[in-house]
Amino acid sequence: MVKGPEAAVLAAFEAAKGFMPLDEGLALYAAAAEAGRLGLPLLEIGTYCGRSTVLLAGAARAAGVTALTVDHHRGSEEQQPGWEYHDPETVDPELGVMDTLPAFRRTLNRAGLEEHVVALVGRSPQIAALWAHPLGLVFIDGGHTDEHAGADYEGWAPHVAEGGLLVIHDVFPDPVDEFTGQAPYRVHQWALASGEFTEVSATGSLRVLRRTGAADAHR
């Protein structure tokens, strides 16, 4: 049975800016801890201020692997000024644009996890195009449009090792959630329809899938 996160890691998660509720966070940690047994890196797309990153990093530290997190740190669509999830504290006062990198670095530092995380700062498709190594876990939690969520899936799912886990956040089947959760839902459906992944668990809007087939994620 997978143990939960250490108290300091859980406290850092709860103190960090972000939107993931506790039950989904604990499910993410459990998936990361399980995937860490493969001895491969754990990768997240969508860092924001590091709320979920500390859980991946805590699991990575316990497993002796590295957590990787991908983000351009300029905020996704729903985090821009005028939108519901915008936080003025994340705006660079000099440039007038979002920059969540400083908050992310503070989150990791306060959690004592900086040495266990590699931050890949840039756009997910560009970084994925350069990536050539297997991963124990891929956590998709970036942009919520079909363009961005689909690119994250196609760019990173092929790198999930056999027996590894694909985790997708904000999966909302109800069409009323078109802006916030329908694109992740469609990614979830593509993954299942590919025959390469089997669903392991569902907690809130978090879905955990295991690779059981060949690595070919093209729709």
Side-chain angles (χ1 to χ4, degrees):
M1 183 176 179
V2 175
K3 291 183 178 181
E6 295 179 3
V9 171
L10 188 58
F13 164 79
E14 293 185 309
K17 287 181 182 291
F19 312 102
M20 177 175 280
L22 178 59
D23 61 339
E24 294 178 2
L26 293 176
L28 174 63
Y29 181 88
E34 178 184 340
R37 296 170 181 167
L38 295 175
L40 297 169
L42 315 175
L43 182 136
E44 163 187 65
I45 305 123
T47 313
Y48 191 54
C49 297
R51 183 174 171 90
S52 57
T53 314
V54 297
L55 297 176
L56 292 184
R61 178 175 62 185
V65 300
T66 299
L68 306 150
T69 184
V70 178
D71 202 314
H72 49 64
H73 287 280
R74 295 304 189 196
S76 57
E77 300 82 7
E78 69 275 12
Q79 295 163 359
Q80 301 306 316
W83 290 92
E84 179 182 358
Y85 295 101
H86 178 65
D87 183 343
E89 292 183 359
T90 63
V91 175
D92 182 311
E94 180 178 345
L95 299 179
V97 297
M98 285 187 63
D99 184 3
T100 56
L101 185 56
F104 161 66
R105 298 200 69 170
R106 287 192 293 270
T107 296
L108 280 191
N109 181 270
R110 290 166 180 163
L113 289 167
E114 283 185 293
E115 294 182 5
H116 302 278
V117 178
V118 174
L120 303 171
V121 181
R123 297 195 174 274
S124 171
Q126 291 175 301
I127 297 172
L130 302 173
W131 193 261
H133 303 284
L135 298 163
L137 176 143
V138 167
F139 174 41
I140 297 178
D141 192 24
H144 287 63
T145 64
D146 282 319
E147 176 188 1
H148 293 137
D152 291 340
Y153 172 67
E154 292 191 334
W156 291 106
H159 298 294
V160 177
E162 184 175 356
L165 299 177
L166 175 66
V167 184
I168 307 169
H169 194 217
D170 294 325
V171 174
F172 293 107
D174 193 328
V176 74
D177 297 304
E178 173 61 36
F179 187 74
T180 57
Q182 281 281 282
Y185 170 69
R186 284 188 281 269
V187 165
H188 171 258
Q189 294 299 294
W190 294 333
L192 293 176
S194 73
E196 298 157 18
F197 295 95
T198 302
E199 185 159 300
V200 175
S201 67
T203 304
S205 71
L206 191 83
R207 302 292 184 272
V208 179
L209 293 79
R210 188 184 314 280
R211 176 177 289 290
T212 55
D216 180 5
H218 293 291
R219 302 200 292 268

